[in-house]
Amino acid sequence: MASASSMPMAMPARTSAATLAAPKVPLINPTSLARFVDPLPIPAVARASDQRTHPAYPGRTLPCYRVTMRECKVHLHRDIPATPLWGYNGQFPGPTIEARRGEPLLVEWINGLPPKHFLPIDHTIHGAEHDKPEVRAVTHVHGARAPAKSDGFPDDWYTPGHSALYHYPNGQDAATLWYHDHAMGITRLNIYAGLFGAYLVRDDEEQALHLPSGECDIPLMLCDRLVAQDGQLYYPVSDDPSAPWVMQCNGNLVLCNGKIFPYLDVEPRRYRFRVINVANTRFFDLSLSHDQPMQQIASDQGLLSAPLQRTRIELHPAERADVVIDFSDFAGKSLQLRHEAEGILEFRVRDRGTRDTSALPATLRKVPRIDPASAARQRILTLNETDDANGNAMTMLLDGKRWSDPVTENPRQNSIETWSFVNLTGDAHPIHLHLVRFQVIDRRPFDLFAWNAHRKLVFTGPAISPEPQELGWKDTVRADPGMVTRIAMRFEGEPGRYVWHCHLLEHEDNEMMRPFDLLPAHS
């Protein structure tokens, strides 16, 4: 079989990147909308539909959740006509799945979507060619330690009228995970259309801390969208109708749990917000009005070792931050959550409330550090962009390779490895590895010219330690331009084929994703 590098490239023979086309429909201007007139939606908690057997658990049954991807119409704001979207169980965001550590469950992900896509597919992208069905989906639980057959491999998509039964062992610490579509070549469109929801893992150790719980424990899924004045979702396209892909997708409307400028009535007590960046490209720069501090208690893969007081929280796509906000000093007043300088969610604090029995302990959970010296393998992997003469990106690659090139990352089960991401591009890329949790070791500036000339790493400054909020377990790391970002992980989980990729969805869809094979511990 011919290797991908010897085959003709599927990309169109272009010499310049397509430029962003002006929208052909009038879009909603955020300044035209009334602020804080809609209540914040709290996604429904999913309920198991039945009990089923699974070959991994002979002699017992597991709770099974049936979740159907369906077309729906959603009022994003009181003054905007209903917007046609796709949602899990016809909800946007989808229902929250609650799991407990060590208690496996099954989800039947059902594709009940219409046969035609309503967003612009680029058929020049690998995996989205004209011979592929327009509408296809496969769900990935981001951050789950799931077997390869239940991980949502991008090529495992299926069409309307079909479903997949996935098994989640939940053998991992309590954490805020989320699920979303992962279909090859159209992930950016399917998530933009609305296919995402929260997946929370709970455990006894976290429960014993008495953090805010129940109605005071709220997922907050943040994204941005462009919406036409008639309520239709608008996805940006290039000026080339035959190749509409664009390298980023920034909306001018910020949505909190699917609403624009919502409000939330709260009591004067502590609340836990599980903040999840589900945007295609946007990073969020979050703060509270009056410079009120928040206490960050967890990141992507669970609790930090201790609460971290913060006045600003930056979240890149797919990153999470669990924060505790104490409203006890604001009885009868209001407070805003802001992105940059703009209020995106208003908290309205009641005059009085029920007694606050929650706690915010000084220590949360031990996070033992991985010693990079114990790594069985140290990999150096580049982040690349193929640019045109004007510096506009045409394709993004990982380690200079395309999706269809032979697999080159093949760690052994339970081994420790370090991966160093050498960012040769001008962008910060949020890099996500499926299956594993990792620790950020450091970031270090390097000489780009020395690398380009000799493929040699010449550092130009000392290593920079991770920021305090990065000292917990992560599954998505910001790889900054001009830096080598180094992570360490133990490859726990079942052998099989998984993926790693940039979580800027436009990049992921256009070759910035690679498979990796987890090999058995002993061959």
Side-chain angles (χ1 to χ4, degrees):
M1 185 175 143
S3 73
S5 55
S6 67
M7 292 162 64
M9 287 188 6
M11 290 297 292
R14 304 182 61 107
T15 55
S16 65
T19 53
L20 194 63
K24 290 188 170 62
V25 291
L27 300 180
I28 289 170
N29 182 335
T31 60
S32 69
L33 295 174
R35 304 287 164 116
F36 314 125
V37 292
D38 293 292
L40 176 77
I42 310 293
V45 175
R47 301 279 171 228
S49 55
D50 58 305
Q51 297 276 324
R52 296 193 197 178
T53 57
H54 190 274
Y57 302 90
R60 62 182 280 200
T61 61
L62 304 181
C64 181
Y65 297 75
R66 298 183 82 243
V67 180
T68 304
M69 302 163 229
R70 286 201 301 265
E71 203 170 25
C72 52
K73 283 196 167 184
V74 176
H75 280 281
L76 304 179
H77 185 278
R78 180 194 70 185
D79 300 330
I80 299 178
T83 299
L85 295 168
W86 291 353
Y88 288 99
N89 278 359
Q91 297 166 37
F92 172 70
T96 298
I97 297 175
E98 295 194 349
R100 286 198 72 82
R101 181 183 180 123
E103 296 182 11
L105 58 83
L106 304 174
V107 181
E108 184 181 7
W109 301 105
I110 302 162
N111 188 339
L113 296 169
K116 283 195 73 63
H117 216 298
F118 70 104
L119 295 176
I121 295 173
D122 188 330
H123 295 293
T124 68
I125 285 179
H126 173 78
E129 296 86 358
H130 282 286
D131 63 350
K132 304 289 192 302
E134 267 196 26
V135 176
R136 46 205 165 79
V138 59
T139 303
H140 165 60
V141 177
H142 181 116
R145 191 188 296 171
K149 286 183 179 171
S150 295
D151 186 53
F153 194 74
D155 282 330
D156 288 349
W157 50 262
Y158 45 95
T159 52
H162 296 85
S163 69
L165 185 67
Y166 276 8
H167 153 232
Y168 301 101
N170 300 314
Q172 58 192 106
D173 290 349
T176 300
L177 313 181
W178 63 294
Y179 61 90
H180 61 80
D181 183 71
H182 218 301
M184 177 65 76
I186 54 169
T187 295
R188 70 196 184 286
L189 305 178
N190 288 352
I191 292 180
Y192 196 82
L195 292 176
F196 58 78
Y199 186 110
L200 310 181
V201 181
R202 305 186 185 279
D203 67 18
D204 294 342
E205 194 178 336
E206 187 185 83
Q207 204 166 332
L209 297 173
H210 300 294
L211 297 164
S213 60
E215 291 181 356
C216 298
D217 178 1
I218 299 173
L220 192 56
M221 310 194 84
L222 302 181
C223 62
D224 59 339
R225 295 291 184 268
L226 293 161
V227 181
Q229 289 178 7
D230 64 0
Q232 301 290 316
L233 212 54
Y234 177 78
Y235 182 86
V237 293
S238 78
D239 59 0
D240 181 350
S242 68
W245 175 86
V246 290
M247 70 175 292
Q248 54 187 7
C249 170
N250 286 307
N252 60 2
L253 300 166
V254 174
L255 281 64
C256 304
N257 288 355
K259 281 284 184 200
I260 301 163
F261 303 132
Y263 68 87
L264 177 67
D265 289 322
V266 296
E267 294 185 0
R269 52 163 298 163
R270 292 187 199 93
Y271 281 71
R272 175 182 187 171
F273 294 97
R274 300 166 180 266
V275 189
I276 310 173
N277 183 347
V278 299
N280 285 38
T281 303
R282 164 93 50 207
F283 78 85
F284 287 99
D285 179 359
L286 302 171
S287 61
L288 293 175
S289 52
H290 315 304
D291 292 324
Q292 274 303 303
M294 301 172 265
Q295 301 286 338
Q296 183 172 346
I297 57 169
S299 59
D300 302 346
Q301 282 284 322
L303 293 170
L304 300 173
S305 58
L308 188 61
Q309 183 163 303
R310 306 188 67 193
T311 53
R312 281 183 61 224
I313 290 178
E314 272 196 9
L315 281 185
H316 281 70
E319 288 189 309
R320 284 89 74 205
D322 289 20
V323 298
V324 171
I325 301 177
D326 190 345
F327 297 107
S328 56
D329 291 339
F330 289 87
K333 299 176 183 170
S334 65
L335 201 61
Q336 288 179 9
L337 178 69
R338 293 177 167 169
H339 163 53
E340 294 173 343
E342 180 174 51
I344 58 172
L345 167 63
E346 182 169 84
F347 300 109
R348 297 177 181 170
V349 189
R350 298 189 184 111
D351 285 331
R352 60 182 66 85
T354 52
R355 193 167 71 87
D356 189 354
T357 56
S358 73
L360 185 63
T363 57
L364 297 169
R365 175 169 282 181
K366 285 194 172 75
V367 183
R369 300 298 292 171
I370 296 174
D371 179 5
S374 66
R377 182 82 187 260
Q378 299 176 354
R379 299 180 193 268
I380 295 174
L381 302 156
T382 55
L383 313 182
N384 317 75
E385 281 181 3
T386 309
D387 292 349
D388 67 9
N390 298 316
N392 296 312
M394 297 170 66
T395 312
M396 276 66 56
L397 302 173
L398 295 173
D399 211 33
K401 299 178 183 71
R402 293 176 177 272
W403 169 259
S404 54
D405 285 334
V407 174
T408 47
E409 285 69 57
N410 48 7
R412 289 217 171 267
Q413 190 181 24
N414 297 322
S415 69
I416 292 172
E417 292 198 359
T418 65
W419 289 19
S420 293
F421 302 120
V422 182
N423 190 346
L424 307 177
T425 81
D427 294 322
H429 297 272
I431 301 296
H432 169 50
L433 276 70
H434 286 214
L435 180 69
V436 295
R437 61 181 188 174
F438 55 71
Q439 291 176 353
V440 183
I441 306 170
D442 53 31
R443 294 181 178 88
R444 197 166 182 188
F446 70 100
D447 186 328
L448 182 61
F449 299 102
W451 178 271
N452 287 337
H454 310 292
R455 280 190 70 83
K456 186 178 176 189
L457 268 184
V458 177
F459 293 112
T460 56
I464 300 165
S465 298
E467 294 154 21
Q469 70 273 12
E470 294 182 305
L471 290 172
W473 292 104
K474 297 275 291 166
D475 57 41
T476 307
V477 64
R478 185 191 81 244
D480 288 332
M483 304 289 274
V484 176
T485 301
R486 193 163 57 125
I487 63 171
M489 56 260 160
R490 183 187 297 275
F491 280 87
E492 298 169 312
E494 287 189 21
R497 180 160 290 185
Y498 300 89
V499 301
W500 64 288
H501 59 87
C502 175
H503 223 288
L504 299 177
L505 302 182
E506 284 65 33
H507 295 190
E508 167 187 343
D509 269 351
N510 196 359
E511 298 288 358
M512 206 167 188
M513 178 164 64
R514 289 280 294 150
F516 76 85
D517 286 339
L518 181 61
L519 304 177
H522 303 289
S523 54

